[in-house]
Amino acid sequence: MIYYRLKSLVYLCSGGDLQEVIEGHKMSLKRRCEHVTEGTNEAGSGTLLNKIYTELYITEGQSEEVDTQHEVRQLEITSKKNIQDTPIKCQDIFKVLSEQQRHIRVVLTNGVAGVGKTFSVQKFSLDWAEGLENQDISLVLPLSWRELNLIRDEQHSLLSLLHVFHPTLQKIRAEDLTVWKLLFIFDGLDESRFSLGFNKHQVISDVTQVSSVDVLLVNLIQGNLLPSALIWITSRPAAAYQIPASCVDRITEVRGFSDSQKEEYFRRRFSDEDLSKGIISHIKASRSLHIMCLIPVFCWITAIVLEDMMTTDQRGELPKTLTDLYSHFLMVQIKRKKQKYGGKQRPGKLTEADKELLLKLGRLAFEHLEKGNIMFYSEDLEQCGLDVSEVSVYSGVCTEIFKRESVIFQKSVYCFVHLSIQEFLAAVYMFNRYTIKNKGITESFLKYSKQHPFSGFAGLFNNDPVTSLDDFLMREIMKSLESENGHLDLFVRFLHGLSLESNQRILGGLLDQTDSHPETIQKRKSERRLSKIHCSALAYLLQMSEEVLDELNLQQYNTSDEGRRRLIPAVRNCRKAELSDCRLSETSCDSVASALKSNLSHLRVLNLSSNTLQDSGVKRLCSGLESPNCKLETLGSVCLHFSTYIPAAKMVKLNYCRLSEISCGSLASALRSNPSHLRELDLCGNQLKDPGVKLLCGFLQDPNCRLETLRLRHCSLSKISCDSLASALRSNPSHLRELDLSWNQLQDSGVKLLSDLVENPHYGLETLRR
């Protein structure tokens, strides 16, 4: 370190004004980083970074999740974790934190879109420019990939590249770069349009040697060029593979806001304490919004919508789902446009000009979403009938992201404020195209369908134009399932949300109203023979529905046992799950347990009767039953009174599932962990025997147990079980109302013990079947 600083001083002294150049670079970098624009680059709209910056949760290492999952799914998985990793501040990412670590030269930082990678880079740079952090670094040199894209066809030396992007460094000489401690920051690798050939390329070691830009970057990252320079690369997870692991000394992950950081963000944003408290309270009540607020950009979108709705007279019902929120966001942007540029607008209504412009943006969003593009040039806008002035009007939706102050480039680049905005507008466009063409699909989509027939799906529709909204949604689902990286998943989720009349009403006539409903969809499909892949698609559709399904009954579906098993993940979004006699496996129990564990779980009634779950399957199920998120009320078998969902019913059915006393131990343990919700338990037809019932009595004795009905018919019980049950009920007498012990060898003395409890008004037991 001393060596670097001494050599730097020698050159500074001999150069005379080089120190002044560095100070000028710091001032320029400070001006560039001290203001941020959440969502827009509109002149005068900037906010001081230090005023709103909230510390992000950054960890060393990378999540175990596969990078090809859609980023919303990654967020959902991350939100369920009990994060125990040691956090690392962005200012410390080049510091050696343990004795096992060697010198850190190249850092790769991952994070989903909008999670705060660029804000972290900006904060790091600002702190350095203000003399607060990392003052051992001589120069911090940000070079975003989206800026580098604009000169990807040019030839440069590394020295001339710096002169181009940082004009304040024109006086810097080649020898200065070789002795100073430099930090190059390459932000947004996922936006790169370079082909980085790390395996075969020209070797460059001289900062004045001219070559193609991609070759310069590869040599810089590998250390052939300026081996002492520090390199910081940020990327979305799916693009990070472009940098070989052998080149990276540390991987970090930006995980966004923790729960406390979410609250801090809204408190810092709003001076009105009541407003910030109201917004925080509403977000906590919605699972989807709470998960997405891990992302700072999403916090910004949420803040815009909720502030507008909570501070106007016509407040209405606050959005609870993603589609609902994004529909309101679009309308807020339109209202702001009217306020800024003039013009009258009826509340909740769009003008024809508004509709036309939004659909042009939607076309841009959809066509480039399919290609995987998140950046657009002027010619891309023109192909969709857009011009720059039109886009600038909707600066809160699609924003110019390359500042015009860099006059050396004559080309501007555009993108949507967040990938999810692009996915939402793409869904609006496609849904509109469906509804206006005689309930048919667009020509481009039909062309795609004929060129790429869906595996196993052609037999259902025979490649005919879709004739119903359900068919349209199913085709789009199949298309998303074929995507290896899931880049159409949220698009499909928005599509289904837009099929609900409530969201169509919010958008003020942009979409024709339809009558789609999750129950309608599943009933229409159950008139057809469904293949396994159809069932996978249908399960996905039902999970993505923004309305909770009242009942999922697997027996209603005309499909194979494997097809029914593939429908099981849909229990995550239903109130009652009838899964009896479907030959379910232990893996199926994992899916059900996962649904019971999820935040804001809707599942209240579960019937798993007549499946060969065995003790191992029940053990897996119990991991869900013991979760504090589990609100299951009923677990049991098919009964006549149970054919229609009754919200007050509270039962769990595991009868005729080949369970033993081992399962009783697992169930008793799980139910003692979460005893207050279950009202009905049916274990008929299992070989529980007396030891198993004794274990269950431990649950019945719990003072928080509220069980009202217990069915133990045909369980190989004797008088001993009567003794155990009578003892348990005496210790907790007020809740159990019905006890079914028929088809067991109880003996008269055992029955009398329990009959006495029925006759005693001190006990709540009303019905004893023996």
Side-chain angles (χ1 to χ4, degrees), residues 3 6 38 105 170-171 242 245 255 267 332 354 371 402 406 429 496 526 564 585 605 666 671 683 723:
Y3 172 75
L6 286 176
E38 292 181 289
R105 178 179 175 273
Q170 292 287 342
K171 295 183 180 180
Q242 297 178 66
R255 296 190 176 180
R267 283 196 297 267
V332 169
D354 290 331
K371 299 173 185 176
F402 191 64
S406 301
Y429 169 74
H496 190 267
S526 65
R564 292 190 181 93
S585 63
V605 178
S666 300
L671 295 175
L683 293 170
D723 295 336

Side-chain angles (χ1 to χ4, degrees), residues 361-395:
L361 286 171
R363 177 184 170 188
L364 176 75
F366 176 73
E367 291 182 355
H368 287 269
L369 183 65
E370 283 201 312
K371 299 173 185 176
N373 294 339
I374 60 175
M375 296 188 307
F376 327 108
Y377 298 101
S378 298
E379 55 266 32
D380 297 325
L381 273 61
E382 292 170 1
Q383 289 175 1
C384 295
L386 288 162
D387 60 44
V388 174
S389 61
E390 286 182 308
V391 171
S392 65
V393 168
Y394 285 88
S395 56

Side-chain angles (χ1 to χ4, degrees), residues 493 536 538-546 569-573:
R493 185 169 178 169
S536 294
L538 181 57
Y540 179 87
L541 178 64
L542 294 173
Q543 286 184 83
M544 292 300 100
S545 170
E546 296 193 347
V571 301
R572 181 179 294 273
N573 196 33

Side-chain angles (χ1 to χ4, degrees), residues 255-308:
R255 296 190 176 180
F257 289 153
S258 65
D259 288 350
S260 60
Q261 289 166 343
K262 294 173 193 176
E263 296 183 21
E264 182 186 350
Y265 172 89
F266 290 107
R267 283 196 297 267
R268 290 170 70 99
R269 183 179 178 88
F270 299 110
S271 56
D272 186 331
E273 185 176 348
D274 290 337
L275 178 60
S276 63
K277 284 183 177 179
I279 290 176
I280 291 169
S281 176
H282 179 71
I283 290 169
K284 285 182 175 179
S286 170
R287 175 178 174 269
S288 295
L289 303 191
H290 194 254
I291 288 174
M292 289 297 287
C293 277
L294 285 165
I295 304 176
V297 168
F298 189 82
C299 289
W300 170 76
I301 293 172
T302 305
I304 284 178
V305 172
L306 295 185
E307 180 186 20
D308 181 83

Side-chain angles (χ1 to χ4, degrees), residues 696-712:
L696 281 176
C697 286
F699 163 58
L700 292 176
Q701 290 173 318
D702 191 296
N704 293 316
C705 173
R706 298 293 183 271
L707 194 69
E708 298 174 357
T709 300
L710 176 61
R711 295 192 173 93
L712 298 172

Side-chain angles (χ1 to χ4, degrees), residues 113-168:
V115 79
K117 301 183 295 295
T118 297
F119 264 36
S120 296
V121 165
Q122 207 162 336
K123 178 62 173 172
F124 184 103
S125 302
L126 180 61
D127 285 349
W128 176 82
E130 292 183 332
L132 301 177
E133 298 282 351
N134 293 287
Q135 294 305 290
D136 58 312
I137 298 176
S138 306
L139 284 177
V140 172
L141 303 165
L143 295 168
S144 75
W145 290 98
R146 63 174 58 164
E147 293 173 340
L148 290 167
N149 285 339
L150 300 176
I151 58 167
R152 64 184 183 278
D153 297 326
E154 300 180 13
Q155 298 279 309
H156 280 280
S157 69
L158 183 60
L159 184 61
S160 70
L161 197 66
L162 291 182
H163 291 167
V164 166
F165 284 97
H166 296 283
T168 55

